[in-house]
Amino acid sequence: MTISVAARVDKNIAFDESNALEVRARRLAMRFSDSEARDILRHAIKTEFPGRIALVSSFGAESAALLHLVAEIDPATPVIFLETGKHFAQTISYRKKLADRLGLTDVRDIAPAAEAIAESDPGGDLWKHDADACCTLRKVEPLSGALGEFDAWITGRKQFHGGGRLLLPAFEAAAAHIKVNPLIRWSKDDIADYAEANDLPAHPLVAQGYPSIGCWPCTHPVAEGDDSRAGRWRGAAKTECGIHGQ
Ligand code: SF4
């Protein structure tokens, strides 16, 4: 699926200090609205934010292609993995296998503070009662701390995921950062073709019916033909973990 983002980007937005980040993001989004993922990434890593950008990866079902693209440009690019303490064992082993295979030298496992867990989720079952609070505790707050040294971060979000992702631009302002979304126009087939062409290992749960993989309590397999994110927070109105609301 290809969705133009140009209509969403207003190149005439007025600049003042209060909206400098927004203006910068919109200008970048306009400039790279038709660019290939590799060109977007190379510009972001090497030119626009050198030494000030990280990739945030779940090491999930669709992660390998973006990790490979980043590794080709600079394998020392920091990669943030949110170690929620609730991942499938297969994800933890895949994270190690993929990082080794791609030669990534700066993968950071970012866990919630022990004091915060002791205070807010001592029994480890907050996800059962309040998934939003659990995601805030185990993902949003740790990521916020980890991003402090960076000006920008790279995401793997794609327009075909639907919902709020349908009109994603390649660059967007988010709080104190610019988010770079190089794969916005990639389809499921593009991801599969890229993985095959580069002999990238698949997450072991994909073959068991998991097209989107997060924490084990909130991830279920989906039926053939279902939306790829239908197994996330199944039965709840929740569709995002909250890290993209920062
Ligand atoms: S995805 Fe589920 S287990 Fe993971 S942080 Fe969010 S609510 Fe908690």
Side-chain angles (χ1 to χ4, degrees):
M1 180 190 300
T2 298
I3 298 172
S4 171
V5 297
R8 227 181 145 231
V9 180
D10 177 7
K11 64 182 175 184
N12 297 317
I13 182 172
F15 175 87
D16 65 51
E17 286 198 4
S18 68
N19 69 355
L21 206 64
E22 182 73 26
V23 171
R24 186 179 182 187
R26 289 191 187 202
R27 286 178 177 161
L28 285 165
M30 193 68 165
R31 177 176 166 191
F32 289 92
S33 62
D34 295 321
S35 298
E36 297 292 331
R38 189 175 274 107
D39 297 330
I40 294 169
L41 279 171
R42 184 173 296 283
H43 179 81
I45 293 171
K46 291 293 191 185
T47 305
E48 194 74 27
F49 308 105
R52 301 285 302 168
I53 188 168
L55 166 61
V56 177
S57 179
S58 64
F59 286 84
E62 296 176 355
S63 297
L66 182 55
L67 287 160
H68 183 264
L69 283 162
V70 168
E72 279 194 328
I73 294 167
D74 183 356
T77 303
V79 177
I80 293 171
F81 172 65
L82 295 174
E83 177 34 301
T84 62
K86 299 291 182 186
H87 285 296
F88 291 97
Q90 292 92 332
T91 299
I92 301 301
S93 60
Y94 183 60
R95 169 242 174 277
K96 173 86 170 66
K97 176 180 179 179
L98 201 50
D100 290 348
R101 156 84 166 75
L102 300 179
L104 292 162
T105 59
D106 191 7
V107 181
R108 306 177 185 188
D109 295 335
I110 305 298
E115 307 79 51
I117 292 291
E119 182 179 333
S120 302
D121 192 13
D125 59 354
L126 183 59
W127 60 270
K128 288 183 185 171
H129 319 294
D130 190 340
D132 285 340
C134 185
C135 280
T136 297
L137 173 69
R138 295 178 181 274
K139 292 185 176 181
V140 177
E141 290 175 350
L143 179 61
S144 179
L147 287 176
E149 67 185 273
F150 301 107
D151 295 333
W153 53 292
I154 301 161
T155 90
R157 291 175 301 162
K158 302 159 196 81
Q159 293 172 341
F160 84 77
H161 290 153
R165 303 183 180 198
L166 269 173
L167 293 175
L168 270 181
F171 291 83
E172 59 180 330
H177 295 87
I178 287 180
K179 287 196 287 194
V180 185
N181 309 309
L183 303 186
I184 45 174
R185 286 182 299 279
W186 282 38
S187 66
K188 279 185 193 174
D189 286 346
D190 291 334
I191 299 163
D193 291 350
Y194 187 93
E196 185 178 350
N198 292 283
D199 194 25
L200 300 178
H203 191 298
L205 289 178
V206 171
Q208 296 179 40
Y210 293 80
S212 176
I213 301 162
C215 299
W216 66 261
C218 307
T219 305
H220 297 85
V222 303
E224 185 80 29
D226 273 0
D227 183 278
S228 64
R229 287 179 64 82
R232 306 290 295 277
W233 301 285
R234 175 175 285 174
K238 185 175 173 66
T239 58
E240 298 278 356
C241 64
I243 64 171
H244 294 294
Q246 294 181 80

